[in-house]
Amino acid sequence: LLGTRQTLLETFDGGNTWQQREIEAARDEGFNYRFQSISFSGDEGWIVGKPAILLHTNDGGRSWERIPLSAKLPGAPLVITALPGEPGQAELTTDQGAIYVTNNKAYTWSA
């Protein structure tokens, strides 16, 4: 479950109880990030939010890394989808309707 102020809640019992997770990679520059989309494929996961932020994990969410976003991407990230197959693959949709795919952990994106 995602929300404002870097909110990420996690459940291990089908939603009966929830635990708040802290993501150190999002505690930066005094921003109040609103997480909008999260997606996992196996242990690999992605989060996007506003102001523009992209986070990645490859250990099931135990640790997260902030990935810089290219200023060339039109619009702000809106939805991220982890793609099955090789690690580092994801699809990103922006609020301007652009759809991009990466296969190298977001170092480069293609339309």
Side-chain angles (χ1 to χ4, degrees):
L1 186 64
L2 302 174
T4 62
R5 299 185 189 275
Q6 297 83 242
T7 299
L8 173 60
L9 301 176
E10 184 175 37
T11 183
F12 295 99
D13 59 11
N16 290 323
T17 60
W18 294 86
Q19 299 171 2
Q20 185 164 351
R21 296 287 311 270
E22 298 293 329
I23 300 179
E24 289 301 317
R27 292 182 170 259
D28 192 10
E29 305 162 19
F31 284 111
N32 174 13
Y33 291 104
R34 174 181 297 211
F35 294 155
Q36 295 181 174
S37 177
I38 188 170
S39 181
F40 277 87
S41 177
D43 282 340
E44 183 172 38
W46 301 84
I47 294 176
V48 294
K50 285 187 180 180
I53 188 170
L54 174 62
L55 301 167
H56 177 261
T57 183
N58 58 14
D59 61 9
R62 288 183 293 281
S63 63
W64 292 87
E65 167 188 18
R66 186 169 177 177
I67 307 287
L69 284 165
S70 170
K72 295 179 181 179
L73 292 175
L78 188 60
V79 176
I80 188 90
T81 303
L83 300 176
E86 295 296 316
Q89 296 182 354
E91 181 180 86
L92 174 72
T93 304
T94 72
D95 62 0
Q96 299 294 314
I99 301 173
Y100 290 92
V101 175
T102 184
N103 61 8
N104 58 8
K105 203 173 90 175
Y107 291 108
T108 59
W109 295 91
S110 59

